[in-house]
Amino acid sequence: MHIEQLSADALSSELKSLEAQYADLAQRKLALDLTRGKPGTEQVSLSDALDGILDRHYLAENGTDVRNYGGLDGLPEAKRLFAPVLGVPEAELIIGGNSSLTLMYTVIDFALSVGLRGPESAWGNDDTVKILCPVPGYDRHFALCEHLGIEMVPVPMLDTGPDMNAVEKLVKEDSSIRGIWCVPRFSNPTGCVYSDETVARLAALGKLASECFLVMYDNAYAVHALHENAPALANIREYCEREGTLDNVFQFGSTSKITFAGAGVAFASSSEANLKAFKQHLGFQSIGPDKVNQLRHVKLLRDAEGLQAHMQQHAALLRPRFKAVLETLEAQLTGTGMGDWLTPEGGYFISFTTRPGLAKEVVRLASGIGVALTPAGATYPYGEDPEDSNIRLAPSYPSLEDVKATAEAFVVCVKLASLRQLKGATS
């Protein structure tokens, strides 16, 4: 029954029952955690063959000794392996170290302080620099901007991706807006896949926005489908080529949730002109990335078919965890008016929406019984969710048993917060 339909007596009775359930959970001294989308131990173990896989054979296919300096933009065979992940030519890909976030930071810092087209094009020449941030979104994108002093402008996230009517209006009206963050497939945290129309309109932004505008296209979950029939993502490069806007998009990806999260391979793609300027900038930071690790990944994953087979093993481990959370939400909250959630086809998160004004309270209640959740507001710039309603759930890392226990405890907290709020409003 919807909570708005509860009689006063039924509300009091249900609230009393929930208070007792919460007290019982508090006595159990739980230690459960759904805070971050880390691969579980079973998942990273899928790549244990990386250890020793080269068997002292350190020559790349072009004869390069991967133990030595050089190769700033990565091994050719690594480019051949990862270019299809982003749907780009090998000539438009660079292979970096273990972190795509590092590449993103470096691109933004380069555009801000040096300029993609020389000092006169640096964003930092202006007093104010802004970036559009679809919300709810990825907290590390927001933290990066805050650290660099870039003003964040929230735009609504729809089922099809960012609200492109709002995006286009903003970039036309405000020349200080220099970019937009995107997680286009299985977006963090909603799990949506950008529609073909959204991708096409993102590709066209370079013709509407200020000079050196960048679509920061963080395709972190490009191959992270939970089901074989999961929605595909349109190729933004193809749209950019038609629009003449290849210079306005940087794509990013990594193996952080494919192999070893802390020892993977990151990669980035953009136009040849952008990459030429960017590599000159990188040359002041490094003599070259870890080519040994690049070659290890090529040996492990081999090709597109090998990568797909590897990801199917990941999906087999993740599906039961997502199912456990979603089934608990569906069984206990459907039709109650106490929350809404999205059912993702891939990625690492479930986005839950409480009644307005309750996300922080649900997180607080969960903490009180030993259940750690992502801080309320984390999916918004500056940690400020105007509705105080979004909570990101990350079921990948804990054991399946712990995921089930956490989901049950989470529902108790949602119900308790909702009924307390309603009781206060009606008393």
Side-chain angles (χ1 to χ4, degrees):
M1 180 182 292
H2 196 286
I3 61 169
E4 300 287 353
Q5 298 174 333
L6 290 173
S7 66
D9 287 345
L11 176 60
S12 295
S13 175
E14 185 66 20
L15 189 54
K16 182 178 180 180
S17 174
L18 283 166
E19 297 280 10
Q21 293 178 52
Y22 184 81
D24 178 64
L25 288 169
Q27 291 180 350
R28 296 185 192 180
K29 300 188 183 301
L30 301 173
L32 304 172
D33 190 334
L34 287 190
T35 56
R36 297 226 60 96
K38 297 195 303 185
T41 301
E42 293 172 288
Q43 288 180 263
V44 293
S45 294
L46 295 173
S47 302
D48 283 349
L50 282 170
D51 187 18
I53 197 169
L54 297 183
D55 192 26
R56 299 187 180 184
H57 293 91
Y58 294 106
L59 294 184
E61 62 184 19
N62 62 2
T64 296
D65 185 338
V66 297
R67 298 169 297 182
N68 220 321
Y69 291 130
L72 185 64
D73 57 350
L75 297 176
E77 54 263 58
K79 293 185 179 185
R80 188 166 60 246
L81 173 62
F82 295 121
V85 174
L86 299 182
V88 299
E90 295 167 31
E92 294 177 9
L93 191 74
I94 61 171
I95 313 292
N98 73 318
S99 170
S100 57
L101 187 63
T102 299
L103 288 173
M104 287 181 253
Y105 182 99
T106 307
V107 167
I108 292 290
D109 187 48
F110 179 50
L112 189 66
S113 59
V114 178
L116 291 168
R117 298 291 173 268
E120 71 284 351
S121 69
W123 295 353
N125 292 335
D126 297 333
D127 292 335
T128 302
V129 178
K130 302 175 184 176
I131 284 187
L132 299 179
C133 298
V135 293
Y138 181 30
D139 52 342
R140 293 199 182 275
H141 290 163
F142 305 154
L144 187 160
C145 287
E146 191 167 4
H147 176 69
L148 291 175
I150 296 173
E151 183 178 331
M152 293 174 277
V153 180
V155 293
M157 176 69 84
L158 310 178
D159 291 343
T160 54
D163 182 341
M164 292 307 298
N165 290 335
V167 168
E168 290 166 351
K169 183 175 185 294
L170 285 164
V171 299
K172 287 178 183 177
E173 294 176 349
D174 190 345
S175 62
S176 66
I177 294 174
R178 294 307 189 103
I180 182 172
W181 286 109
C182 297
V183 182
R185 193 174 193 222
F186 312 130
S187 187
N188 179 352
T190 70
C192 82
V193 178
Y194 290 11
S195 68
D196 291 5
E197 180 188 358
T198 295
V199 174
R201 293 170 75 175
L202 284 167
L205 286 180
K207 299 196 296 187
L208 304 177
S210 57
E211 187 179 3
C212 293
F213 179 92
L214 289 181
V215 177
M216 295 291 288
Y217 210 67
D218 182 4
N219 207 349
Y221 307 106
V223 294
H224 297 72
L226 290 172
H227 308 281
E228 290 187 11
N229 61 348
L233 177 69
N235 187 321
I236 193 171
R237 187 195 177 279
E238 293 177 0
Y239 286 110
C240 287
E241 197 166 33
R242 296 175 203 170
E243 299 285 352
T245 57
L246 286 172
D247 289 343
N248 298 107
V249 175
F250 265 90
Q251 294 194 64
F252 303 91
S254 78
T255 67
S256 291
K257 292 181 174 69
I258 296 175
T259 57
F260 290 167
V265 174
F267 38 94
S269 175
S270 191
S271 67
E272 292 191 29
N274 279 353
L275 291 186
K276 180 180 179 181
F278 185 57
K279 283 188 284 187
Q280 288 177 340
H281 182 63
L282 285 178
F284 293 104
Q285 302 180 27
S286 171
I287 301 175
D290 184 348
K291 299 185 296 300
V292 172
N293 199 31
Q294 291 181 25
L295 190 57
R296 292 197 309 160
H297 278 74
V298 172
K299 294 293 184 183
L300 177 73
L301 299 171
R302 301 184 306 282
D303 50 28
E305 290 74 21
L307 176 58
Q308 182 181 17
H310 189 80
M311 295 312 298
Q312 288 172 349
Q313 295 181 76
H314 277 280
L317 293 170
L318 286 171
R319 276 195 299 268
R321 290 166 166 79
F322 277 79
K323 183 180 179 182
V325 175
L326 293 167
E327 285 186 344
T328 300
L329 297 178
E330 290 161 7
Q332 300 199 39
L333 293 176
T334 298
T336 65
M338 289 188 273
D340 298 296
W341 57 94
L342 299 173
T343 301
E345 296 280 353
Y348 266 64
F349 305 102
I350 296 169
S351 183
F352 185 89
T353 303
T354 69
R355 291 165 67 88
L358 285 185
K360 289 180 181 177
E361 176 62 8
V362 170
V363 172
R364 186 192 70 81
L365 287 170
S367 178
I369 55 174
V371 175
L373 300 175
T374 303
T379 55
Y380 284 75
Y382 312 106
E384 298 175 1
D385 176 356
E387 294 290 323
D388 184 23
S389 63
N390 185 254
I391 298 175
R392 185 183 70 188
L393 303 176
S396 58
Y397 185 74
S399 68
L400 181 56
E401 292 72 21
D402 281 353
V403 168
K404 291 177 179 178
T406 305
E408 294 286 347
F410 174 73
V411 165
V412 170
C413 295
V414 169
K415 288 182 175 180
L416 183 57
S418 300
L419 291 181
R420 283 178 174 174
Q421 183 191 60
L422 186 61
K423 180 74 170 177
T426 57
S427 60

